[in-house]
Amino acid sequence: MSDEALAALYGEDYFHGEEYRDYVSEEGSLKDNFRRRIVTLQQLIPDLKKTDVFEVGCAYGFFLDEVKNDVASVKGIDISNDAVAHARAHKGVDAIAGSYSDYVMERPVGLVAMWDTVEHLPRPDLFIHKAARDLLPGGYIAITTGDIASLNARFRGKHWRMIHPPTHLHYFSVATLSRMLERNGFEIVHVSHPGNARNLRSILHFILDLRMGWGGLYRRIANWRIFDLSISMNLFDIMFVVARRKA
């Protein structure tokens, strides 16, 4: 898939009605997830405060905004022009539109983050290889993605919620993701299956509108205030993997 096709796929509609009901309205729950990941990174990287961070797939800049006071510097890239424009205008973060595969890093960084991104990439192996080159020796890569070997994924089979082409192109287990990282000079330092926070309206949109096709029912009840609530669930099918580049 070309960069132009990817940019079209991840346009404004992707974040507002297709994949997400309204990505911007989910900022609170998404930042809850990021805060928990940052705590884990602080435990794994003692000098995180002195670390330059680069995010691949930064979307609307919510992680960059959340982590910017905990690290030395932040920068991100995303294929979506609309998302990057929002990140720059509303979050004031250093985000650029484009493909990471073509981006030339100004200097090596200490952490590359790829939150729910690797499954979207036509060639994730090439992105991991590039990340290894863009990291300082001893630098870290942090990845979240679905775990296709999890109990829930195996039970749900083709109906597992993470299986929805054409946006999700690849599916990993802890073993296969670890092998890809190790082949590119990384050693695994952390694996977990954390919970994931989403607001109830987004969950309702996914189940009623996207999965069941009951868009009319969804629209009739979507504005009920009870659906403003954010909840955290853990089906143990999302993995959080951190690896360190070998010196």
Side-chain angles (χ1 to χ4, degrees):
M1 187 179 293
S2 68
D3 289 344
E4 292 77 13
L6 282 173
L9 186 62
Y10 296 107
E12 186 175 1
D13 289 344
Y14 173 81
F15 293 98
H16 300 278
E18 291 183 357
E19 182 86 1
Y20 295 88
R21 174 190 174 271
D22 181 357
Y23 191 87
V24 173
S25 72
E26 293 192 52
E27 179 176 356
S29 57
L30 292 169
K31 282 190 168 183
D32 285 343
N33 297 325
F34 292 141
R35 278 191 288 271
R36 288 194 289 268
R37 294 172 196 170
I38 292 167
V39 169
T40 299
L41 293 173
Q42 289 170 332
Q43 295 167 349
L44 294 169
I45 309 173
D47 58 349
L48 186 64
K49 273 282 188 183
K50 302 176 182 178
T51 299
D52 296 316
V53 174
F54 191 90
E55 184 184 7
V56 180
C58 66
Y60 281 54
F62 297 155
F63 171 71
L64 298 177
D65 185 50
E66 189 64 27
V67 78
K68 64 186 179 185
N69 294 323
D70 296 298
V71 299
S73 70
V74 294
K75 189 167 187 174
I77 190 169
D78 200 283
I79 199 74
S80 170
N81 291 290
D82 177 72
V84 166
H86 180 97
R88 295 178 67 89
H90 297 279
K91 297 303 170 188
V93 294
D94 188 359
I96 57 173
S99 172
Y100 176 59
S101 60
D102 299 325
Y103 178 73
V104 178
M105 196 77 77
E106 297 170 3
R107 63 182 187 277
V109 297
L111 172 65
V112 170
M114 299 174 67
W115 307 129
D116 307 318
T117 296
V118 69
E119 66 270 20
H120 296 269
L121 305 174
R123 287 293 305 273
D125 56 329
L126 298 183
F127 275 61
I128 297 297
H129 181 71
K130 175 172 167 52
R133 299 200 316 269
D134 288 340
L135 281 166
L136 293 164
Y140 294 81
I141 186 169
I143 297 173
T144 56
T145 189
D147 182 357
I148 200 165
S150 65
L151 180 63
N152 186 50
R154 287 184 282 121
F155 176 76
R156 295 287 294 162
K158 67 180 182 180
H159 300 295
W160 183 40
R161 71 188 188 286
M162 296 295 290
I163 296 180
H164 48 83
T167 56
H168 288 190
L169 302 175
H170 297 277
Y171 304 94
F172 297 92
S173 65
V174 171
T176 58
L177 182 59
S178 296
R179 283 199 295 270
M180 184 169 66
L181 289 164
E182 289 163 353
R183 284 198 300 266
N184 286 281
F186 289 97
E187 58 180 341
I188 308 301
V189 298
H190 173 85
V191 176
S192 62
H193 290 78
N196 196 45
R198 297 291 296 269
N199 67 43
L200 286 174
R201 186 171 290 104
S202 297
I203 296 171
L204 191 74
H205 173 253
F206 178 81
I207 294 173
L208 291 184
D209 195 0
L210 299 185
R211 283 295 188 181
M212 302 181 70
W214 295 354
L217 174 61
Y218 165 74
R219 286 185 286 275
R220 283 197 294 273
I221 65 176
N223 291 327
W224 293 2
R225 293 187 60 184
I226 190 173
F227 297 127
D228 292 335
L229 295 175
S230 177
I231 62 171
S232 182
M233 298 186 299
N234 195 350
L235 300 176
F236 297 94
D237 59 356
I238 303 296
M239 57 180 161
F240 178 17
V241 177
V242 182
R244 180 171 54 229
R245 180 192 157 185
K246 297 177 182 177

